Each structure stands twice: as C-alpha cells, then as structure tokens.
Amino acid sequence: MRGNQAQIKTTTTRLQYRNNWSEFLFWGSGQDGQLVSRTVTLTVPDSWKIVDMKK
C-alpha cells in the first residue's frame, strides 16, 4: 500500500430471512438481524514498521 495513512475496513455478517417460509419457521426466535461475525482489517503503508509484542 502506498501513501502515509492507514486504512481500516469492517465487514459485518448478520442473519437475515431469505423468504416468507424462513420467516414463518423462525418467527419469534429473535434471530433476524442477529450478529454472526465481524471482521476488522487494518492495512498500513509499506513504509510503516509493525511492532508485535507477544508474551
């Protein structure tokens, strides 16, 4: 990556009913719109040094 600024990207996946049948089967479960996963990706320029402090 070129430039001097880091970039962050967040990807979120949520449950969503695909059709009326699914909505009927799971009605009342409270799962529609429920968070399944969230991934955060940080991209830094090539000129930056990355320090990893592992125990």
Side-chain angles (χ1 to χ4, degrees):
M1 181 177 144
R2 294 184 177 219
N4 60 0
Q5 291 186 350
Q7 295 179 349
I8 191 165
K9 178 182 176 185
T10 303
T11 305
T12 303
T13 304
R14 294 186 177 275
L15 291 176
Q16 182 177 9
Y17 300 136
R18 290 184 173 250
N19 54 41
N20 290 339
W21 178 244
S22 297
E23 188 174 355
F24 173 75
L25 287 176
F26 296 104
W27 179 82
S29 69
Q31 292 182 336
D32 191 30
Q34 182 178 12
L35 179 66
V36 174
S37 68
R38 180 172 286 147
T39 304
V40 178
T41 305
L42 176 65
T43 306
V44 296
D46 294 332
S47 62
W48 287 24
K49 295 189 187 251
I50 303 196
V51 178
D52 187 9
M53 301 192 56
K54 294 182 180 177
K55 291 184 177 183

CSV table of all heavy atoms in Angstrom, one decimal:
chain,number,residue,atom,x,y,z
A,1,MET,N,0.8,-1.2,0.0
A,1,MET,CA,0.0,0.0,0.0
A,1,MET,C,0.9,1.2,0.0
A,1,MET,O,1.8,1.3,0.7
A,1,MET,CB,-0.9,0.0,1.2
A,1,MET,CG,-1.8,1.1,1.3
A,1,MET,SD,-2.9,1.0,2.8
A,1,MET,CE,-3.0,2.7,3.2
A,2,ARG,N,0.6,2.2,-0.8
A,2,ARG,CA,1.3,3.4,-0.9
A,2,ARG,C,0.6,4.5,-0.1
A,2,ARG,O,-0.6,4.4,0.2
A,2,ARG,CB,1.6,3.8,-2.3
A,2,ARG,CG,2.4,2.8,-3.0
A,2,ARG,CD,2.7,3.3,-4.4
A,2,ARG,NE,3.6,2.3,-5.0
A,2,ARG,CZ,4.6,2.6,-5.8
A,2,ARG,NH1,4.8,3.9,-6.2
A,2,ARG,NH2,5.3,1.7,-6.3
A,3,GLY,N,1.3,5.6,0.2
A,3,GLY,CA,0.7,6.7,0.9
A,3,GLY,C,1.2,6.7,2.3
A,3,GLY,O,2.1,5.9,2.7
A,4,ASN,N,0.6,7.5,3.2
A,4,ASN,CA,1.1,7.6,4.5
A,4,ASN,C,0.0,7.5,5.6
A,4,ASN,O,0.2,7.8,6.7
A,4,ASN,CB,1.8,9.0,4.7
A,4,ASN,CG,0.9,10.1,4.5
A,4,ASN,OD1,-0.2,10.0,4.1
A,4,ASN,ND2,1.5,11.3,4.7
A,5,GLN,N,-1.2,7.0,5.1
A,5,GLN,CA,-2.3,6.8,6.1
A,5,GLN,C,-2.7,5.3,6.1
A,5,GLN,O,-2.7,4.6,5.1
A,5,GLN,CB,-3.5,7.6,5.6
A,5,GLN,CG,-3.3,9.1,5.8
A,5,GLN,CD,-4.5,9.9,5.5
A,5,GLN,OE1,-5.5,9.3,5.0
A,5,GLN,NE2,-4.5,11.2,5.8
A,6,ALA,N,-3.0,4.9,7.3
A,6,ALA,CA,-3.5,3.5,7.5
A,6,ALA,C,-5.0,3.5,7.1
A,6,ALA,O,-5.7,4.5,7.2
A,6,ALA,CB,-3.4,3.1,8.9
A,7,GLN,N,-5.5,2.3,6.7
A,7,GLN,CA,-6.9,2.2,6.4
A,7,GLN,C,-7.5,1.1,7.2
A,7,GLN,O,-6.8,0.1,7.5
A,7,GLN,CB,-7.1,1.9,4.9
A,7,GLN,CG,-6.7,3.0,4.0
A,7,GLN,CD,-6.9,2.6,2.5
A,7,GLN,OE1,-7.1,1.5,2.2
A,7,GLN,NE2,-6.7,3.6,1.7
A,8,ILE,N,-8.7,1.2,7.6
A,8,ILE,CA,-9.4,0.2,8.4
A,8,ILE,C,-10.7,-0.2,7.6
A,8,ILE,O,-11.4,0.7,7.1
A,8,ILE,CB,-9.7,0.6,9.8
A,8,ILE,CG1,-10.2,-0.5,10.7
A,8,ILE,CG2,-10.7,1.8,9.9
A,8,ILE,CD1,-10.1,-0.3,12.1
A,9,LYS,N,-11.0,-1.5,7.6
A,9,LYS,CA,-12.2,-2.0,6.9
A,9,LYS,C,-12.9,-2.9,7.9
A,9,LYS,O,-12.3,-3.9,8.4
A,9,LYS,CB,-11.9,-2.7,5.6
A,9,LYS,CG,-13.1,-3.2,4.9
A,9,LYS,CD,-12.7,-4.0,3.6
A,9,LYS,CE,-13.9,-4.6,3.0
A,9,LYS,NZ,-13.5,-5.5,1.9
A,10,THR,N,-14.2,-2.7,8.1
A,10,THR,CA,-15.0,-3.6,8.9
A,10,THR,C,-16.1,-4.3,8.1
A,10,THR,O,-16.8,-3.6,7.3
A,10,THR,CB,-15.7,-2.7,10.0
A,10,THR,OG1,-14.7,-2.0,10.8
A,10,THR,CG2,-16.5,-3.6,11.0
A,11,THR,N,-16.1,-5.6,8.2
A,11,THR,CA,-17.1,-6.4,7.5
A,11,THR,C,-18.0,-7.1,8.5
A,11,THR,O,-17.5,-7.8,9.4
A,11,THR,CB,-16.4,-7.5,6.6
A,11,THR,OG1,-15.5,-6.9,5.8
A,11,THR,CG2,-17.4,-8.3,5.8
A,12,THR,N,-19.3,-6.9,8.4
A,12,THR,CA,-20.2,-7.4,9.4
A,12,THR,C,-21.2,-8.4,8.7
A,12,THR,O,-21.7,-8.1,7.6
A,12,THR,CB,-21.0,-6.3,10.0
A,12,THR,OG1,-20.1,-5.4,10.6
A,12,THR,CG2,-22.0,-6.8,11.1
A,13,THR,N,-21.4,-9.6,9.3
A,13,THR,CA,-22.4,-10.5,8.7
A,13,THR,C,-23.5,-10.7,9.8
A,13,THR,O,-23.3,-10.9,10.9
A,13,THR,CB,-21.7,-11.9,8.5
A,13,THR,OG1,-20.6,-11.7,7.6
A,13,THR,CG2,-22.7,-12.9,7.9
A,14,ARG,N,-24.7,-10.6,9.3
A,14,ARG,CA,-25.9,-10.8,10.1
A,14,ARG,C,-26.9,-11.8,9.5
A,14,ARG,O,-26.9,-12.0,8.3
A,14,ARG,CB,-26.7,-9.4,10.3
A,14,ARG,CG,-25.9,-8.4,11.0
A,14,ARG,CD,-26.7,-7.1,11.3
A,14,ARG,NE,-26.0,-6.2,12.1
A,14,ARG,CZ,-25.9,-6.2,13.4
A,14,ARG,NH1,-26.5,-7.1,14.1
A,14,ARG,NH2,-25.2,-5.2,14.0
A,15,LEU,N,-27.6,-12.5,10.4
A,15,LEU,CA,-28.7,-13.4,9.9
A,15,LEU,C,-29.8,-12.6,9.3
A,15,LEU,O,-30.2,-11.5,9.8
A,15,LEU,CB,-29.2,-14.2,11.1
A,15,LEU,CG,-28.3,-15.2,11.7
A,15,LEU,CD1,-29.0,-15.9,12.9
A,15,LEU,CD2,-27.9,-16.3,10.7
A,16,GLN,N,-30.3,-13.1,8.2
A,16,GLN,CA,-31.5,-12.4,7.5
A,16,GLN,C,-32.4,-13.5,6.9
A,16,GLN,O,-31.9,-14.4,6.2
A,16,GLN,CB,-31.0,-11.5,6.5
A,16,GLN,CG,-32.1,-10.7,5.8
A,16,GLN,CD,-31.5,-9.7,4.8
A,16,GLN,OE1,-30.3,-9.7,4.5
A,16,GLN,NE2,-32.4,-8.9,4.3
A,17,TYR,N,-33.7,-13.4,7.1
A,17,TYR,CA,-34.6,-14.3,6.5
A,17,TYR,C,-34.5,-14.1,5.0
A,17,TYR,O,-34.5,-13.0,4.4
A,17,TYR,CB,-36.0,-14.1,6.9
A,17,TYR,CG,-36.2,-14.2,8.4
A,17,TYR,CD1,-37.0,-13.3,9.2
A,17,TYR,CD2,-35.7,-15.3,9.1
A,17,TYR,CE1,-37.1,-13.5,10.5
A,17,TYR,CE2,-35.8,-15.5,10.5
A,17,TYR,CZ,-36.6,-14.5,11.2
A,17,TYR,OH,-36.8,-14.7,12.5
A,18,ARG,N,-34.5,-15.3,4.2
A,18,ARG,CA,-34.4,-15.2,2.8
A,18,ARG,C,-35.8,-15.2,2.1
A,18,ARG,O,-35.9,-14.7,1.0
A,18,ARG,CB,-33.7,-16.4,2.2
A,18,ARG,CG,-32.2,-16.3,2.5
A,18,ARG,CD,-31.5,-17.5,1.9
A,18,ARG,NE,-30.1,-17.4,2.1
A,18,ARG,CZ,-29.2,-17.1,1.1
A,18,ARG,NH1,-29.7,-16.9,-0.1
A,18,ARG,NH2,-28.0,-16.9,1.3
A,19,ASN,N,-36.8,-15.7,2.8
A,19,ASN,CA,-38.1,-15.8,2.2
A,19,ASN,C,-39.2,-15.9,3.3
A,19,ASN,O,-38.9,-15.9,4.5
A,19,ASN,CB,-38.2,-16.9,1.2
A,19,ASN,CG,-37.9,-18.3,1.9
A,19,ASN,OD1,-38.2,-18.5,3.0
A,19,ASN,ND2,-37.1,-19.1,1.1
A,20,ASN,N,-40.4,-15.8,2.9
A,20,ASN,CA,-41.5,-15.9,3.9
A,20,ASN,C,-41.6,-17.2,4.6
A,20,ASN,O,-41.9,-17.2,5.8
A,20,ASN,CB,-42.9,-15.7,3.1
A,20,ASN,CG,-43.0,-14.3,2.7
A,20,ASN,OD1,-42.4,-13.4,3.2
A,20,ASN,ND2,-43.9,-14.1,1.7
A,21,TRP,N,-41.2,-18.3,4.0
A,21,TRP,CA,-41.2,-19.6,4.7
A,21,TRP,C,-40.2,-19.6,5.8
A,21,TRP,O,-40.5,-20.0,6.9
A,21,TRP,CB,-40.9,-20.7,3.7
A,21,TRP,CG,-40.8,-22.1,4.3
A,21,TRP,CD1,-39.7,-22.9,4.4
A,21,TRP,CD2,-41.8,-22.8,5.0
A,21,TRP,NE1,-40.0,-24.0,5.1
A,21,TRP,CE2,-41.3,-24.0,5.5
A,21,TRP,CE3,-43.2,-22.5,5.3
A,21,TRP,CZ2,-42.0,-25.0,6.1
A,21,TRP,CZ3,-43.9,-23.5,6.0
A,21,TRP,CH2,-43.3,-24.7,6.4
A,22,SER,N,-39.0,-19.1,5.6
A,22,SER,CA,-38.0,-19.0,6.7
A,22,SER,C,-38.4,-18.1,7.8
A,22,SER,O,-38.3,-18.4,8.9
A,22,SER,CB,-36.6,-18.4,6.1
A,22,SER,OG,-36.1,-19.3,5.1
A,23,GLU,N,-39.0,-17.0,7.4
A,23,GLU,CA,-39.6,-16.0,8.4
A,23,GLU,C,-40.6,-16.7,9.2
A,23,GLU,O,-40.7,-16.5,10.4
A,23,GLU,CB,-40.1,-14.8,7.7
A,23,GLU,CG,-40.5,-13.7,8.6
A,23,GLU,CD,-40.9,-12.4,7.9
A,23,GLU,OE1,-40.8,-12.4,6.7
A,23,GLU,OE2,-41.4,-11.5,8.6
A,24,PHE,N,-41.5,-17.5,8.6
A,24,PHE,CA,-42.5,-18.2,9.3
A,24,PHE,C,-41.9,-19.2,10.3
A,24,PHE,O,-42.4,-19.3,11.4
A,24,PHE,CB,-43.5,-18.9,8.3
A,24,PHE,CG,-44.5,-19.8,9.0
A,24,PHE,CD1,-45.6,-19.3,9.6
A,24,PHE,CD2,-44.3,-21.2,8.9
A,24,PHE,CE1,-46.5,-20.1,10.2
A,24,PHE,CE2,-45.2,-22.1,9.5
A,24,PHE,CZ,-46.3,-21.5,10.2
A,25,LEU,N,-40.9,-20.0,9.8
A,25,LEU,CA,-40.3,-21.1,10.7
A,25,LEU,C,-39.6,-20.5,11.9
A,25,LEU,O,-39.7,-21.1,13.0
A,25,LEU,CB,-39.3,-21.9,9.9
A,25,LEU,CG,-39.9,-22.8,8.8
A,25,LEU,CD1,-38.8,-23.5,8.1
A,25,LEU,CD2,-40.8,-23.9,9.5
A,26,PHE,N,-39.0,-19.3,11.7
A,26,PHE,CA,-38.2,-18.8,12.8
A,26,PHE,C,-38.8,-17.6,13.5
A,26,PHE,O,-38.1,-16.9,14.2
A,26,PHE,CB,-36.8,-18.5,12.3
A,26,PHE,CG,-36.0,-19.7,11.8
A,26,PHE,CD1,-35.9,-20.0,10.5
A,26,PHE,CD2,-35.5,-20.6,12.8
A,26,PHE,CE1,-35.2,-21.1,10.1
A,26,PHE,CE2,-34.8,-21.7,12.4
A,26,PHE,CZ,-34.7,-22.0,11.0
A,27,TRP,N,-40.1,-17.3,13.2
A,27,TRP,CA,-40.7,-16.2,13.8
A,27,TRP,C,-40.7,-16.3,15.3
A,27,TRP,O,-40.9,-17.3,15.9
A,27,TRP,CB,-42.2,-16.1,13.3
A,27,TRP,CG,-42.9,-15.0,13.9
A,27,TRP,CD1,-42.9,-13.7,13.5
A,27,TRP,CD2,-43.8,-15.0,15.0
A,27,TRP,NE1,-43.7,-12.9,14.3
A,27,TRP,CE2,-44.3,-13.7,15.3
A,27,TRP,CE3,-44.2,-16.0,15.9
A,27,TRP,CZ2,-45.1,-13.4,16.3
A,27,TRP,CZ3,-45.1,-15.7,16.9
A,27,TRP,CH2,-45.5,-14.4,17.1
A,28,GLY,N,-40.4,-15.2,15.9
A,28,GLY,CA,-40.3,-15.2,17.4
A,28,GLY,C,-39.0,-15.6,18.0
A,28,GLY,O,-38.8,-15.6,19.2
A,29,SER,N,-38.1,-16.1,17.1
A,29,SER,CA,-36.8,-16.6,17.7
A,29,SER,C,-35.9,-15.4,18.0
A,29,SER,O,-34.9,-15.6,18.8
A,29,SER,CB,-36.1,-17.5,16.7
A,29,SER,OG,-35.7,-16.8,15.5
A,30,GLY,N,-36.2,-14.3,17.4
A,30,GLY,CA,-35.3,-13.1,17.6
A,30,GLY,C,-34.0,-13.2,16.9
A,30,GLY,O,-33.1,-12.4,17.2
A,31,GLN,N,-33.8,-14.1,15.9
A,31,GLN,CA,-32.6,-14.2,15.2
A,31,GLN,C,-32.4,-13.3,14.0
A,31,GLN,O,-31.3,-13.1,13.5
A,31,GLN,CB,-32.4,-15.7,14.8
A,31,GLN,CG,-32.2,-16.6,16.0
A,31,GLN,CD,-31.9,-18.0,15.5
A,31,GLN,OE1,-32.3,-18.4,14.4
A,31,GLN,NE2,-31.3,-18.8,16.3
A,32,ASP,N,-33.5,-12.8,13.5
A,32,ASP,CA,-33.4,-12.0,12.3
A,32,ASP,C,-32.6,-10.7,12.6
A,32,ASP,O,-32.9,-10.0,13.6
A,32,ASP,CB,-34.8,-11.6,11.8
A,32,ASP,CG,-34.8,-10.9,10.4
A,32,ASP,OD1,-33.9,-11.2,9.6
A,32,ASP,OD2,-35.6,-10.1,10.1
A,33,GLY,N,-31.5,-10.5,11.9
A,33,GLY,CA,-30.7,-9.3,12.2
A,33,GLY,C,-29.6,-9.6,13.2
A,33,GLY,O,-28.8,-8.7,13.5
A,34,GLN,N,-29.5,-10.8,13.7
A,34,GLN,CA,-28.6,-11.1,14.8
A,34,GLN,C,-27.2,-11.1,14.2
A,34,GLN,O,-26.9,-11.6,13.1
A,34,GLN,CB,-28.9,-12.5,15.4
A,34,GLN,CG,-28.0,-12.9,16.5
A,34,GLN,CD,-28.4,-14.2,17.1
A,34,GLN,OE1,-29.2,-15.0,16.6
A,34,GLN,NE2,-27.8,-14.5,18.3
A,35,LEU,N,-26.2,-10.6,14.9
A,35,LEU,CA,-24.8,-10.5,14.5
A,35,LEU,C,-24.2,-11.9,14.5
A,35,LEU,O,-24.3,-12.6,15.5
A,35,LEU,CB,-24.0,-9.6,15.4
A,35,LEU,CG,-22.5,-9.5,15.1
A,35,LEU,CD1,-22.3,-8.8,13.8
A,35,LEU,CD2,-21.8,-8.7,16.2
A,36,VAL,N,-23.6,-12.3,13.4
A,36,VAL,CA,-23.0,-13.6,13.2
A,36,VAL,C,-21.4,-13.5,13.4
A,36,VAL,O,-20.8,-14.2,14.1
A,36,VAL,CB,-23.3,-14.3,11.9
A,36,VAL,CG1,-22.5,-15.6,11.7
A,36,VAL,CG2,-24.8,-14.6,11.7
A,37,SER,N,-20.9,-12.5,12.7
A,37,SER,CA,-19.4,-12.3,12.8
A,37,SER,C,-19.1,-10.8,12.4
A,37,SER,O,-19.9,-10.2,11.7
A,37,SER,CB,-18.7,-13.2,11.9
A,37,SER,OG,-18.9,-12.9,10.5
A,38,ARG,N,-18.0,-10.4,12.8
A,38,ARG,CA,-17.5,-9.1,12.5
A,38,ARG,C,-15.9,-9.2,12.3
A,38,ARG,O,-15.3,-9.7,13.2
A,38,ARG,CB,-17.8,-8.0,13.6
A,38,ARG,CG,-17.3,-6.7,13.2
A,38,ARG,CD,-17.7,-5.6,14.1
A,38,ARG,NE,-19.1,-5.3,13.8
A,38,ARG,CZ,-20.0,-5.0,14.8
A,38,ARG,NH1,-19.7,-4.9,16.0
A,38,ARG,NH2,-21.3,-4.8,14.4
A,39,THR,N,-15.4,-8.8,11.2
A,39,THR,CA,-14.0,-8.8,10.9
A,39,THR,C,-13.5,-7.4,10.7
A,39,THR,O,-14.1,-6.7,9.9
A,39,THR,CB,-13.7,-9.7,9.6
A,39,THR,OG1,-14.3,-11.0,9.8
A,39,THR,CG2,-12.3,-9.8,9.4
A,40,VAL,N,-12.4,-7.1,11.4
A,40,VAL,CA,-11.8,-5.8,11.2
A,40,VAL,C,-10.4,-6.0,10.6
A,40,VAL,O,-9.6,-6.7,11.1
A,40,VAL,CB,-11.7,-5.0,12.6
A,40,VAL,CG1,-11.0,-3.7,12.4
A,40,VAL,CG2,-13.1,-4.9,13.2
A,41,THR,N,-10.1,-5.3,9.5
A,41,THR,CA,-8.9,-5.4,8.8
A,41,THR,C,-8.2,-4.1,8.7
A,41,THR,O,-8.8,-3.1,8.3
A,41,THR,CB,-9.1,-5.9,7.3
A,41,THR,OG1,-9.8,-7.1,7.3
A,41,THR,CG2,-7.8,-6.2,6.6
A,42,LEU,N,-7.0,-4.0,9.2
A,42,LEU,CA,-6.2,-2.8,9.3
A,42,LEU,C,-5.1,-3.0,8.2
A,42,LEU,O,-4.3,-3.9,8.3
A,42,LEU,CB,-5.6,-2.6,10.7
A,42,LEU,CG,-4.6,-1.4,10.8
A,42,LEU,CD1,-5.4,-0.1,10.6
A,42,LEU,CD2,-4.0,-1.4,12.2
A,43,THR,N,-5.0,-2.0,7.3
A,43,THR,CA,-3.9,-2.0,6.3
A,43,THR,C,-3.1,-0.8,6.5
A,43,THR,O,-3.5,0.3,6.6
A,43,THR,CB,-4.6,-2.0,4.9
A,43,THR,OG1,-5.5,-3.0,4.8
A,43,THR,CG2,-3.5,-2.1,3.8
A,44,VAL,N,-1.7,-1.1,6.6
A,44,VAL,CA,-0.8,0.0,6.8
A,44,VAL,C,0.1,0.2,5.6
A,44,VAL,O,0.4,-0.8,4.9
A,44,VAL,CB,0.0,-0.2,8.1
A,44,VAL,CG1,-0.9,-0.2,9.3
A,44,VAL,CG2,0.8,-1.5,8.0
A,45,PRO,N,0.7,1.4,5.4
A,45,PRO,CA,1.6,1.6,4.3
A,45,PRO,C,2.9,0.7,4.4
A,45,PRO,O,3.3,0.4,5.5
A,45,PRO,CB,1.9,3.1,4.3
A,45,PRO,CG,0.8,3.7,5.1
A,45,PRO,CD,0.4,2.6,6.1
A,46,ASP,N,3.5,0.4,3.3
A,46,ASP,CA,4.7,-0.4,3.3
A,46,ASP,C,5.8,0.3,4.0
A,46,ASP,O,6.7,-0.4,4.6
A,46,ASP,CB,5.2,-0.6,1.8
A,46,ASP,CG,4.2,-1.5,1.1
A,46,ASP,OD1,3.5,-2.3,1.7
A,46,ASP,OD2,4.1,-1.4,-0.2
A,47,SER,N,5.8,1.6,4.1
A,47,SER,CA,6.9,2.4,4.8
A,47,SER,C,6.8,2.3,6.3
A,47,SER,O,7.7,2.6,7.0
A,47,SER,CB,6.9,3.8,4.3
A,47,SER,OG,5.7,4.4,4.7
A,48,TRP,N,5.7,1.8,6.8
A,48,TRP,CA,5.5,1.7,8.3
A,48,TRP,C,6.1,0.4,8.8
A,48,TRP,O,6.2,-0.6,8.1
A,48,TRP,CB,4.0,1.7,8.6
A,48,TRP,CG,3.3,3.0,8.5
A,48,TRP,CD1,3.6,4.0,7.7
A,48,TRP,CD2,2.1,3.3,9.2
A,48,TRP,NE1,2.7,5.0,7.9
A,48,TRP,CE2,1.7,4.6,8.8
A,48,TRP,CE3,1.3,2.7,10.1
A,48,TRP,CZ2,0.6,5.3,9.2
A,48,TRP,CZ3,0.1,3.3,10.5
A,48,TRP,CH2,-0.2,4.6,10.1
A,49,LYS,N,6.6,0.5,10.0
A,49,LYS,CA,7.2,-0.7,10.6
A,49,LYS,C,6.1,-1.2,11.6
A,49,LYS,O,5.5,-0.4,12.3
A,49,LYS,CB,8.5,-0.4,11.4
A,49,LYS,CG,9.6,0.0,10.4
A,49,LYS,CD,10.9,0.1,11.1
A,49,LYS,CE,11.9,0.6,10.2
A,49,LYS,NZ,12.9,-0.3,9.8
A,50,ILE,N,5.9,-2.5,11.7
A,50,ILE,CA,4.9,-3.1,12.5
A,50,ILE,C,5.7,-3.8,13.7
A,50,ILE,O,6.6,-4.6,13.5
A,50,ILE,CB,4.1,-4.1,11.8
A,50,ILE,CG1,3.4,-3.4,10.6
A,50,ILE,CG2,3.1,-4.8,12.7
A,50,ILE,CD1,2.3,-4.0,10.0
A,51,VAL,N,5.3,-3.4,14.9
A,51,VAL,CA,5.8,-4.0,16.1
A,51,VAL,C,4.8,-4.9,16.7
A,51,VAL,O,3.7,-4.5,17.0
A,51,VAL,CB,6.2,-2.9,17.1
A,51,VAL,CG1,6.8,-3.5,18.4
A,51,VAL,CG2,7.2,-1.9,16.5
A,52,ASP,N,5.2,-6.1,17.0
A,52,ASP,CA,4.3,-7.1,17.6
A,52,ASP,C,4.9,-7.5,18.9
A,52,ASP,O,6.0,-8.0,19.0
A,52,ASP,CB,4.3,-8.4,16.7
A,52,ASP,CG,3.2,-9.4,17.1
A,52,ASP,OD1,2.5,-9.1,18.1
A,52,ASP,OD2,3.2,-10.5,16.6
A,53,MET,N,4.1,-7.2,20.0
A,53,MET,CA,4.6,-7.5,21.3
A,53,MET,C,3.9,-8.7,21.9
A,53,MET,O,2.9,-8.6,22.5
A,53,MET,CB,4.4,-6.3,22.2
A,53,MET,CG,5.1,-5.1,21.7
A,53,MET,SD,5.2,-3.7,22.8
A,53,MET,CE,5.9,-4.4,24.2
A,54,LYS,N,4.4,-9.9,21.5
A,54,LYS,CA,3.8,-11.2,22.0
A,54,LYS,C,4.5,-11.5,23.4
A,54,LYS,O,5.7,-11.3,23.6
A,54,LYS,CB,4.1,-12.3,21.0
A,54,LYS,CG,3.3,-12.1,19.7
A,54,LYS,CD,3.6,-13.2,18.8
A,54,LYS,CE,2.8,-13.0,17.5
A,54,LYS,NZ,3.1,-14.1,16.5
A,55,LYS,N,3.7,-12.2,24.2
A,55,LYS,CA,4.3,-12.6,25.5
A,55,LYS,C,5.0,-13.9,25.4
A,55,LYS,O,4.7,-14.8,24.6
A,55,LYS,CB,3.1,-12.7,26.5
A,55,LYS,CG,2.6,-11.4,26.9
A,55,LYS,CD,1.6,-11.6,28.0
A,55,LYS,CE,1.0,-10.2,28.4
A,55,LYS,NZ,0.1,-10.3,29.5
